[in-house]
């Protein structure tokens, strides 16, 4: 198992390095960065000063290695717009995005697991079909639109939740619900199909032959096996949710990493864009690694094999 | 002897379209090994699952009578049935590789039967599990209890299944092709184990198999199933000596039994396959493959008596013994 | 285990069939609206009429005859814009699927067929792609290079090929070992012939399911990008952009975001229902 983890770790590092390269190249797509930074009213001389100041006059590969060299030790350079170090900015914004992600994932699991189990044990009944319909609807709702609807209903009409901002825990409820909805369809379907597969298995027939109670059969014997893929996918989903939180943070003006990314794109603040892409990718890589470890821990065949 | 399990006119259907079991009747006496024998697809496993009330979703059973130690199984609720299963009647299956839950230790899976039905502490249950594992011939039970199913071989897993089935000291053990998936040497060990357990614990065994060799070795009574019906019932010795139903005879001719089959003659075979039985089927299901069939076989077939505990479902009159091969 | 002896029950209507039919109907109606809609609606989607701003749709009080779905904050006819928006959504969806399909299917078939180093590379590419935050990178590309329909399609196409690759790879691996593939190989078929004529048709049905999923995803992502102001440039009426423009008025005139939002929801639901129906027809739970 340690070997498996070591291999995944090496793969993860390679992927991280590739993403780093891509993130660097991404920000050079716009052509001359110095022109964009200097702004539309700048003279040729201003542009040259900017170019020198930010080291953009050096060859591309020198810039790349200079950036990666510092990025590895957590130094992402200075933001042009926020006049602060990028590392500081991200450090300040990250807790908000992580809170949002965890709230979203918890809500998603609280809703998906019971729904998936219910649909599986009532397979092919109206209950099952309603759950499937619910996942179809959830998959089709645009998250930013759901966010606006919630703002109108919960924020304006019922007035029970704040519409935007970061101040209190209530500020995380609506964004959390919206973010949860991005993961609920997949997690529900996975729980359902895993439970259906487990319930049809020989070991469930054995459990029934042993005269165990229905609750014990469903929640101990079947769920334990169906949960293995769900837990690892949940970790991966959290990675997607952190990446996808940019839309939701922007709608709710939640000052997390996603919102930071959006602001810096709008301001052509390329060191921040690079860093945010990289940080989100590293989180995703870390979470897939975590998923592999969880998988191995939960499945005795991998743990002791 | 009195009957422990009595089944009369058991019918099992799936979704109203398929008739898996069509009026099967048999009795398992106390302390005997009763074999249910037939080709795959004849409904013998479904019969066993129907007795245990373990039919897959969509399976419906009905019967004139279905009693276990005087209890009417048909009138039991799901909850009452669950109280019986694993407790007074236990079952083991054909697939030892997949019949144990891969996520839990052997110990946890064995103890939960006992604590569920008899209560008591987990430690006591573990002791009982270790004792039974020794009894079914598993060495180092202490270590095995902490292991997971994937760490055990197929033969060991089947022994674990048997030990688990014995946890509550059941009166009836239903074994559905318990040795089919195992190596021949392991098969013999498991069969010997079942015979010993029967003798020592006074257990009744309903053994389901397609293998007449197994029947000859372990059974006291045999019920031959064909296309969802019990076509012949007899004490084992008598069935082998004087089979009456053409299907039974056909089956026996396919098996090399020393003394009954001549060395230079080819083994027999039954032409054709088991027919599809839909609703509204009448008459003898074997007639399409039977060399004695005539038009009367399409009508109701009487159950004929060929001996005290020997009857069969055919229009042909009983014959004293199997005609010796020429 | 004995199987019950009997003829299989006659093939009954599957549960998913109704959903499949509804999905096809939804997509067909929206596609028809996208193609001919603007010649039927009496208004132009771009003509402003500042005297007629934010008129509500026909079922509400104060609606203006002729503007069935009302007008937006610049007095443009909402129905005309909605129908034009369907064109944009479908165009983006289809073009993205073609682009991403080409990339993903090529990679997947190569990895699945050749295995070894090639497959290692393909797997690495898929892993890398999955770790890239799609929305952020798409926003960054559009933000840094300037908005435009073509750029949005190219960006999404370059980002959404992962599922195509995963499924093409897995199914190719299954098909590769079939006898007809070996037979064609032994008969001297060239490698491109083998991949395109023998493998591709046999995995096409699975890829069709992926195509519906990706099309729905592309449409949602375009809407999100346009909503954030970094997708389709105004005054083109992308549904996402319509929602963004209506956002400032949503508390007083909620229908300005309801109408394009519902349209988007219904289209994506329709496409997903078609995909689900296809999946049921194929009996393939694995793609869920």
């Amino acid at each position: 198992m340690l070997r498996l983890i070591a291999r995944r770790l090496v793969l993860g590092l390679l992927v991280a390095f590739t993403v780093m390269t891509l993130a660097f190249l991404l920000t050079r797509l716009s052509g001359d960065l110095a022109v964009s930074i200097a702004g539309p009213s700048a003279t040729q001389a201003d542009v040259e000063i900017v170019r020198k100041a930010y080291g953009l006059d050096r060859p591309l590969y020198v810039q790349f290695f200079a950036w990666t060299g510092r990025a590895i030790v957590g130094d992402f350079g200075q933001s042009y717009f926020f006049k602060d170090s990028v590392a500081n900015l991200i450090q300040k914004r990250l807790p908000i995005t992580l809170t949002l992600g965890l709230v979203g994932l918890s809500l998603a699991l609280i809703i998906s697991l019971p729904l998936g189990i219910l649909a599986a044990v009532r397979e092919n009944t109206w209950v099952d079909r309603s759950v499937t319909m619910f996942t179809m609807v959830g998959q089709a709702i645009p998250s930013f639109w759901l966010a606006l609807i919630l703002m109108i209903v919960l924020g304006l009409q019922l007035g029970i939740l704040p519409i935007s901002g970061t101040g209190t825990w209530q500020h995380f409820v609506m964004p959390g619900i919206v973010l949860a909805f991005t993961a609920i369809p997949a997690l529900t379907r996975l729980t359902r199909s895993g439970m259906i597969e487990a319930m049809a298995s020989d070991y469930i027939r054995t459990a029934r032959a042993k005269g165990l109670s229905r609750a014990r059969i469903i929640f101990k014997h079947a769920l334990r096996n169906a949960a293995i893929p769900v837990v690892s996918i949940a970790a991966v989903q959290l990675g997607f949710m952190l990446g996808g939180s940019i839309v939701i943070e922007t709608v709710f003006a939640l000052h997390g990493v996603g919102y930071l990314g959006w602001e810096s794109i709008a301001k052509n603040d390329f060191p921040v864009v690079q860093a945010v892409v990289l940080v989100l990718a590293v989180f995703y890589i870390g979470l897939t690694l975590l998923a592999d470890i969880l998988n191995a821990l939960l499945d005795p065949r991998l743990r002791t094999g | 002897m009195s009957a422990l399990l009595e089944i009369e006119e058991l019918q099992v259907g799936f979704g109203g379209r398929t008739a898996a079991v069509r009026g099967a009747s048999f009795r398992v006496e106390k302390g005997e090994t009763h074999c249910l024998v037939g080709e795959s697809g004849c409904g013998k496993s479904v019969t066993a699952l129907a007795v245990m009330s373990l039919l897959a979703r969509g399976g419906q059973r009905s019967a004139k009578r279905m009693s276990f130690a005087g209890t009417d199984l048909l009138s039991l609720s799901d909850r009452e049935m669950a109280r019986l299963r694993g407790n007074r009647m236990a079952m083991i299956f054909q697939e030892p590789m997949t019949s144990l839950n891969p996520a839990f230790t052997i110990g946890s899976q064995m103890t939960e039967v006992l604590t569920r039905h008899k209560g008591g502490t987990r430690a006591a249950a573990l002791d009982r599990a270790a004792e039974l594992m020794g009894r079914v011939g598993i060495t180092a039970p202490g270590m095995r209890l902490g292991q997971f199913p994937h760490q055990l071989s197929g033969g060991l897993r089947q022994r674990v299944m048997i030990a688990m089935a014995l946890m509550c000291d059941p009166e009836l053990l239903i074994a559905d092709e318990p040795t089919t998936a195992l190596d021949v040497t392991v098969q013999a060990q498991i069969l010997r184990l079942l015979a010993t357990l029967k003798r020592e614990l006074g257990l009744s065994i309903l053994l389901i198999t397609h293998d007449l060799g197994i029947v000859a070795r372990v059974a006291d009574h045999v019920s031959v199933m064909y296309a969802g019906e019990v076509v012949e019932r007899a004490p084992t010795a008598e069935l082998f000596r004087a089979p009456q139903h053409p299907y039974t005879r056909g089956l026996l001719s396919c098996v090399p039994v020393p003394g009954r089959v001549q060395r230079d003659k080819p083994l027999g075979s039954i032409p054709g396959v088991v027919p599809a039985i839909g609703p509204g089927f009448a008459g003898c299901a074997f007639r399409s493959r039977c060399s004695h069939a005539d038009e009367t076989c399409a009508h109701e077939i009487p159950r004929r008596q060929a001996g005290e505990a020997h009857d069969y479902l055919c229009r042909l009159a009983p014959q004293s013994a199997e005609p010796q091969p020429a | 285990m004995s199987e019950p002896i009997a003829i299989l029950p006659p093939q009954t209507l599957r549960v998913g069939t109704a959903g499949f039919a509804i999905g096809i109907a939804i997509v067909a109606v929206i596609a028809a609206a996208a193609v001919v809609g603007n010649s039927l609606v009496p208004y132009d989607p771009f003509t402003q009429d500042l005297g007629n701003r934010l008129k509500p749709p026909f079922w509400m009080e104060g609606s203006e005859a002729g503007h069935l779905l009302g007008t937006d904050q610049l007095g443009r006819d909402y129905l005309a814009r909605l129908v034009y928006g369907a064109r944009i959504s479908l165009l983006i969806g289809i073009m993205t699927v073609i682009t991403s399909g080409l990339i993903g299917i090529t990679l997947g078939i190569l990895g699945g067929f050749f295995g070894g180093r090639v497959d290692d590379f393909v797997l690495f590419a898929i892993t890398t792609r999955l770790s890239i935050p799609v929305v952020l990178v798409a926003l960054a590309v559009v933000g840094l290079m300037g908005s435009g329909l073509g750029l949005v399609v190219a960006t999404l196409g370059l980002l959404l090929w992962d599922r195509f690759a995963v499924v093409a790879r897995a199914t190719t691996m299954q098909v590769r070992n079939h006898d007809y593939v070996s037979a064609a190989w032994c008969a001297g078929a060239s490698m491109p012939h083998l991949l395109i004529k023998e493998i591709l048709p046999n995995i096409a049905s699975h890829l069709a399911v992926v195509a519906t999923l990706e099309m729905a995803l592309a449409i949602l992502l375009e809407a999100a990008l346009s909503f954030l102001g970094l997708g389709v440039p105004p005054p083109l009426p992308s549904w996402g952009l319509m929602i963004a423009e209506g956002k400032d008025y949503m508390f007083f005139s909620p229908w300005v975001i309801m109408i394009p939002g519902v349209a988007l929801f219904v289209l994506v639901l329709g496409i997903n229902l078609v995909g689900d129906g296809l999946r049921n027809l194929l009996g393939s739970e694995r793609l869920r």
Side-chain angles (χ1 to χ4, degrees), chain A residues 11-26:
Chain A
L11 180 71
L13 286 174
L14 278 173
V15 171
F17 185 75
T18 314
V19 173
M20 226 164 159
T21 316
L22 291 173
F24 177 81
L25 291 174
L26 174 74

Side-chain angles (χ1 to χ4, degrees), chain B:
Chain B
M1 281 205 285
S2 65
L4 178 68
L5 180 70
E6 218 175 336
I7 307 293
E8 263 176 58
E9 301 280 316
L10 174 68
Q11 313 259 358
V12 182
F14 288 90
R17 287 196 187 80
T18 62
V21 180
R22 306 176 303 127
S25 304
F26 60 93
R27 338 164 11 113
V28 180
E29 308 292 337
K30 275 206 176 106
E32 77 158 355
T33 298
H34 190 107
C35 267
L36 215 50
V37 67
E39 287 170 87
S40 57
C42 71
K44 51 194 196 300
S45 288
V46 176
T47 301
L49 291 174
V51 171
M52 291 287 282
S53 193
L54 286 178
L55 289 171
R57 272 177 66 143
Q60 289 125 13
R61 61 171 193 184
S62 63
K64 213 165 107 188
R65 192 175 147 78
M66 217 166 130
S67 75
F68 170 74
T71 312
D72 178 16
L73 293 180
L74 292 169
S75 67
L76 292 185
S77 69
D78 283 353
R79 203 174 283 263
E80 289 164 329
M81 194 61 215
R83 283 278 161 208
L84 219 56
R85 277 199 303 257
N87 185 9
R88 298 183 58 198
M89 49 204 288
M91 185 163 178
I92 60 175
F93 301 96
Q94 186 178 343
E95 305 86 0
M97 302 313 278
T98 50
S99 289
L100 288 163
N101 194 326
F104 298 102
T105 59
I106 303 296
S108 133
Q109 296 187 56
M110 287 188 71
T111 50
E112 68 179 345
V113 204
L114 194 68
T115 47
R116 153 85 172 158
H117 295 295
K118 311 278 193 206
T121 63
R122 194 178 136 77
L126 274 173
D127 286 345
R128 165 99 179 132
E131 178 209 322
L132 279 170
M133 284 173 101
R135 181 148 212 156
V136 300
I138 299 175
T139 51
M143 176 190 78
R144 298 296 182 196
L145 284 171
Q147 285 186 319
F148 287 94
H150 72 271
Q151 294 166 304
L152 272 57
S153 69
L156 266 180
R157 284 190 222 185
Q158 197 61 294
R159 284 173 197 269
V160 167
M161 285 295 291
I162 295 172
M164 193 158 78
L166 299 176
M167 283 296 281
C168 294
D169 222 343
E171 290 142 77
L172 175 69
L173 175 68
I174 300 181
D176 183 4
E177 305 253 13
T179 59
T180 308
L182 303 174
D183 290 341
V184 186
T185 47
V186 183
Q187 267 187 31
Q189 292 166 7
I190 297 282
L191 288 174
R192 214 171 303 137
L193 171 65
L194 287 177
T196 316
L197 291 171
K198 181 193 103 176
R199 205 172 50 242
E200 289 177 0
L201 304 175
L203 197 63
S204 303
I205 298 176
L206 175 61
L207 181 70
I208 289 152
T209 181
H210 64 273
D211 186 339
L212 285 167
I214 291 178
V215 175
R217 279 165 57 195
V218 302
D220 298 308
H221 276 85
V222 188
S223 294
V224 180
M225 276 193 86
Y226 183 78
E229 288 175 307
V230 173
V231 294
E232 184 159 5
R233 304 184 289 196
T236 310
E238 194 167 329
L239 187 89
F240 279 87
R241 188 177 53 79
Q244 296 297 334
H245 196 280
Y247 176 66
T248 315
R249 283 192 234 151
L251 267 188
L252 288 169
S253 75
C254 303
V255 186
V257 178
R260 273 201 44 242
V261 175
Q262 296 191 336
R263 283 169 204 271
D264 47 352
K265 287 276 158 87
L267 280 174
S269 65
I270 306 176
V273 290
V274 183
I277 305 288
F281 184 90
C284 174
F286 189 60
R287 64 177 189 266
S288 59
R289 302 166 78 183
C290 179
S291 55
H292 305 281
D294 64 18
E295 64 278 11
T296 57
C297 297
H299 304 298
E300 186 82 13
I301 306 291
R303 190 171 278 281
R304 286 177 182 275
Q305 212 64 34
E308 198 192 333
H310 186 179
D311 60 16
Y312 62 103
L313 210 59
C314 183
R315 65 176 184 84
L316 298 175
Q319 296 168 345
S320 57
E322 159 100 328
Q324 286 300 309

